[in-house]
Amino acid sequence: MTTNLMLVCGEEILQVSGLSVNRSGVEVISDINLSVNCGEFVGIVGPNGAGKTTLILTILGILKPRKGHVSLSKAISGKVGWVPQAATSLPKNMKITVREFIQLGTLDSATWFLPFGTKYDKQNVSKIIETVGLTDYAETRIANLSGGQRQRAAIGKALASKADLLLMDEPMVGVDLKSRNSIMRLLDNLCHTQNKTIVMISHDLASMKRTVHRMVYLEQQIRYDGSTNDFPELSVLADLRGIEETHPEGLLSEVDQTAPEDIITVWQKDELRSGKS
């Protein structure tokens, strides 16, 4: 007899314990401990080469850890969606429509050789197309969409798999600002209205602070894990990373030492000389 497990919002669904991973003989991430609860929108930030993608690939089971382990709640096992950065760079000769592309997300090992899409799947796909804001483009070829629209379609494909946990690797790369804001609102709404859990990698600190519920700063090890409001300022972050001050104290340029009121005074004098008020 099969028991259907239901997710409870706030319940822990992902746990990473003492995780260390080597790639090409070099330790990329070391002793990572991370817990994610249902309904959270977590942003993982850090510089290039910090181990962000390595962490996600290990959670997906693509990479094997040197030590430590990853565990998923039994209620979410098999319901993990993956949205890679490459979603915005789909081949231009791809001839399937948005509807067909999203419908691919309904396939699994049990349905691969069955007729494409049950009545329920087709209804569900139509609902997902509406959710990601692509109703007017449902029959448009995926290759003819903008970068932002293709990213929406990729999110829709992940949702079609009935994924409760969405893992995203730099999904906003190549997406214009207006589309980026719209997609981030969509993702936040999925967390609040459908209890989806999202873990997103990004280099965009400003965007993450404005959108996600929690930020994790990763640079081989986790340097910060907490609320966006408490995320450290750049100077504090530099200390956490071990970055030393380049300019010795007292050797700042004259421009750096100019007080704001001095700048205003100079501007006012220039305006008087030119006869303006």
Side-chain angles (χ1 to χ4, degrees):
M1 180 178 178
T2 302
T3 302
N4 292 323
L5 299 171
M6 298 296 292
L7 279 171
V8 177
C9 193
E11 172 190 353
E12 182 183 81
I13 61 171
L14 170 65
Q15 185 177 61
V16 178
S17 303
L19 194 73
S20 296
V21 181
N22 287 12
R23 301 186 75 172
S24 301
V26 177
E27 188 173 65
V28 180
I29 53 176
S30 174
D31 197 28
I32 302 298
N33 293 288
L34 180 68
S35 176
V36 179
N37 294 334
C38 173
E40 277 195 294
F41 190 173
V42 180
I44 300 180
V45 298
N48 285 328
K52 302 184 298 296
T53 298
T54 294
L55 174 59
I56 293 294
L57 292 178
T58 306
I59 292 173
L60 287 167
I62 296 172
L63 297 177
K64 292 184 178 181
R66 181 176 63 81
K67 68 175 183 178
H69 67 276
V70 175
S71 58
L72 291 172
S73 164
K74 291 182 180 179
I76 205 173
S77 295
K79 296 182 180 179
V80 179
W82 167 234
V83 181
Q85 178 180 329
T88 57
S89 303
L90 294 169
K92 292 184 178 180
N93 59 352
M94 202 172 194
K95 296 182 179 180
I96 63 174
T97 65
V98 169
R99 183 180 303 279
E100 291 165 343
F101 180 75
I102 291 177
Q103 198 162 6
L104 288 173
T106 65
L107 299 177
D108 56 31
S109 58
T111 61
W112 189 260
F113 295 105
L114 296 179
F116 192 61
T118 63
K119 181 178 180 180
Y120 169 79
D121 284 338
K122 290 178 180 178
Q123 291 174 342
N124 190 42
V125 166
S126 294
K127 185 176 180 180
I128 289 169
I129 290 172
E130 181 180 356
T131 298
V132 297
L134 290 176
T135 301
D136 292 341
Y137 301 92
E139 309 308 327
T140 301
R141 286 187 179 181
I142 195 82
N144 294 336
L145 300 182
S146 68
Q149 291 167 337
R150 285 197 295 272
Q151 197 60 270
R152 284 173 172 272
I155 293 168
K157 181 173 175 288
L159 292 175
S161 69
K162 301 182 179 67
D164 292 311
L165 172 62
L166 298 179
L167 303 177
M168 302 181 150
D169 188 356
E170 295 285 0
M172 298 298 110
V173 171
V175 177
D176 65 88
L177 182 60
K178 183 178 178 180
S179 296
R180 184 185 310 169
N181 289 336
S182 179
I183 291 170
M184 295 300 263
R185 283 194 293 269
L186 165 65
L187 296 174
D188 182 60
N189 188 56
L190 289 173
C191 293
H192 290 297
T193 63
Q194 298 186 26
N195 288 343
K196 300 298 182 183
T197 305
I198 299 171
V199 177
M200 178 189 289
I201 290 173
S202 178
H203 287 97
D204 191 344
L205 285 173
S207 177
M208 290 293 97
K209 286 195 71 172
R210 286 288 180 94
T211 310
V212 301
H213 309 156
R214 172 179 157 206
M215 291 178 72
V216 175
Y217 190 92
L218 176 66
E219 190 172 8
Q220 190 177 24
Q221 297 179 326
I222 291 179
R223 312 286 180 175
Y224 174 84
D225 182 356
S227 72
T228 56
N229 291 334
D230 295 329
F231 190 79
E233 297 298 326
L234 291 180
S235 59
V236 178
L237 191 59
D239 290 338
L240 289 174
R241 297 178 62 193
I243 298 175
E244 297 180 353
E245 177 65 59
T246 302
H247 302 285
E249 188 175 352
L251 291 181
L252 294 176
S253 69
E254 291 183 6
V255 174
D256 292 331
Q257 294 180 6
T258 303
E261 58 269 22
D262 293 335
I263 296 173
I264 293 172
T265 300
V266 171
W267 174 78
Q268 288 173 332
K269 287 179 179 178
D270 288 340
E271 291 290 283
L272 290 171
R273 288 194 192 103
S274 63
K276 298 178 181 178
S277 57

